[in-house]
């Protein structure tokens, strides 16, 4: 009985992180909210692992995990973007909350889609959350050109589409460490490392620590673009 509690307790930690991140978003504490979303992702990674290690699979656990994920990776980043944009474009920023609804739809599809055992169809909610939480954590972006908030709003709609699109995205699960079987993952990780280091260097050079937070958005953008390139290449190969 005790073993069964462990995965659900970890999932609840994920949910609580999402609740705190959502509250912090309403207080415009975006960088701290980002930290709680990252903490939620940490718990999300280990709840499934603990369930497998302890051999205690649970249907309730699956449903609880989706509920927690929609709070942490759906509502929290949506509320961050809404709070970030509202002082600039007013109630138009409510459009950002669509992200929470599309995240819920993406999670529901994942639960019933048997194709997504080793990869994803559509952008995973944690990746989407990290992208938006990273962007909203850079307050200097508010001073960007007047059209920038509207571009962010349009991009939020694009991300809603990516969450449910029939676009394949590889996961970072490794069955072995060979280059042949994991070339795409290794190339992505190398590119991600370069982007993180570049953001840290820029943050140090200009003495703006928030620049380092841009690494989250940069890595996820690289992930999306790389997967789109792989999809187009695969499609061309199939056509001969």
């Amino acid at each position: 009985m005790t073993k069964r509690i462990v995965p659900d307790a970890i999932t609840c930690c994920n949910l609580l992180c999402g609740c705190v991140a959502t509250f912090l978003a309403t207080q415009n504490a975006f960088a701290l909210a980002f930290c709680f979303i990252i903490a939620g992702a940490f718990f999300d990674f280990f709840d499934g692992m603990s369930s497998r290690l302890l051999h205690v699979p649970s249907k309730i656990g699956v449903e609880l995990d989706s509920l927690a994920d929609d709070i942490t990776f759906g509502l929290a980043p949506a509320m961050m973007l809404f709070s970030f944009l509202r002082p600039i474009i007013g109630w138009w920023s409510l459009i950002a909350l669509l992200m929470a609804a599309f995240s819920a739809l993406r999670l529901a599809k994942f639960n019933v889609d048997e194709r997504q055992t080793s990869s994803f169809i559509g952008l995973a909610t944690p990746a989407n959350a990290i992208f938006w939480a990273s962007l909203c954590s850079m307050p200097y972006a508010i001073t960007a050109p007047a059209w920038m908030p509207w571009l962010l709003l349009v991009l939020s709609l694009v991300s809603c589409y990516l969450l449910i699109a029939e676009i394949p995205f590889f996961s970072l699960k490794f069955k072995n460490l060979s280059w042949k079987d994991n070339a795409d993952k290794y190339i992505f990780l190398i590119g991600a490392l370069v982007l993180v280091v570049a953001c840290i260097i820029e943050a140090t050079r200009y003495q703006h620590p928030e620049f380092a937070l841009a690494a989250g958005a940069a890595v996820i953008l690289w992930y999306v673009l790389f997967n789109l390139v792989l999809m187009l290449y695969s499609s061309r190969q199939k056509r001969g």
Side-chain angles (χ1 to χ4, degrees), residues 91-103:
W91 292 108
W92 282 102
S93 55
L94 282 170
I95 293 174
L97 298 181
L98 285 172
M99 198 184 304
F102 277 84
S103 294

Side-chain angles (χ1 to χ4, degrees), residues 6-212:
V6 174
D8 290 347
I10 296 174
T11 302
C12 286
C13 287
N14 172 18
L15 189 150
L16 289 172
C17 284
C19 291
V20 174
T22 302
F23 168 74
L24 291 170
T26 65
Q27 305 302 305
N28 294 336
F30 299 122
L32 194 53
F34 185 17
C35 292
F36 273 93
I37 287 177
I38 294 297
F42 176 84
F43 287 119
D44 183 51
F45 177 79
F46 282 103
D47 62 359
M49 178 181 291
S50 64
S51 177
R52 290 188 293 271
L53 289 175
L54 296 174
H55 304 291
V56 285
S58 166
K59 291 184 178 179
I60 291 179
V62 172
E63 300 302 324
L64 181 61
D65 183 67
S66 293
L67 291 171
D69 284 355
D70 193 40
I71 297 296
T72 305
F73 309 127
L75 180 61
M79 186 59 70
M80 287 180 72
L81 185 58
F82 166 73
S83 300
F84 184 79
L85 293 177
R86 187 184 172 190
I88 312 171
I89 61 174
W91 292 108
W92 282 102
S93 55
L94 282 170
I95 293 174
L97 298 181
L98 285 172
M99 198 184 304
F102 277 84
S103 294
L105 181 57
R106 191 265 178 276
L107 289 162
K109 288 183 64 178
F110 177 80
N111 286 345
V112 299
D113 193 341
E114 296 180 355
R115 298 173 298 169
Q116 301 189 55
T117 54
S118 58
S119 61
F120 302 116
I121 304 295
L123 183 64
T125 53
N128 184 64
I130 289 172
F131 176 81
W132 287 107
S134 173
L135 283 184
C136 294
S137 298
M138 297 182 288
Y140 63 84
I142 294 179
T143 62
W147 49 263
M148 184 60 72
W150 298 101
L151 176 60
L152 292 176
L153 204 59
V154 171
L155 286 177
S156 74
L157 295 176
V158 173
S159 72
C160 286
Y161 166 73
L162 289 175
L163 286 167
I164 60 170
E166 290 289 307
I167 298 175
F169 287 86
F170 61 76
S171 73
L172 291 177
K173 296 177 181 178
F174 288 82
K175 293 182 179 179
N176 58 64
L177 298 179
S178 73
W179 173 270
K180 181 179 179 181
D181 295 333
N182 302 286
D184 52 354
K185 298 171 187 177
Y186 282 126
I187 293 172
F188 165 72
L189 289 173
I190 292 170
L193 180 60
V194 171
L195 289 170
V196 170
V197 171
C199 288
I200 293 174
I201 290 174
E202 290 299 301
T204 304
R205 177 184 299 175
Y206 294 104
Q207 297 183 347
H208 283 289
E210 65 270 19
F211 277 30

Side-chain angles (χ1 to χ4, degrees), residues 210-234:
E210 65 270 19
F211 277 30
L213 297 176
V219 168
I220 299 304
L221 183 59
W222 160 234
Y223 174 71
V224 171
L225 293 176
F226 186 46
N227 275 278
L228 289 176
V229 169
L230 290 177
M231 182 187 71
L232 292 174
Y233 176 76
S234 177

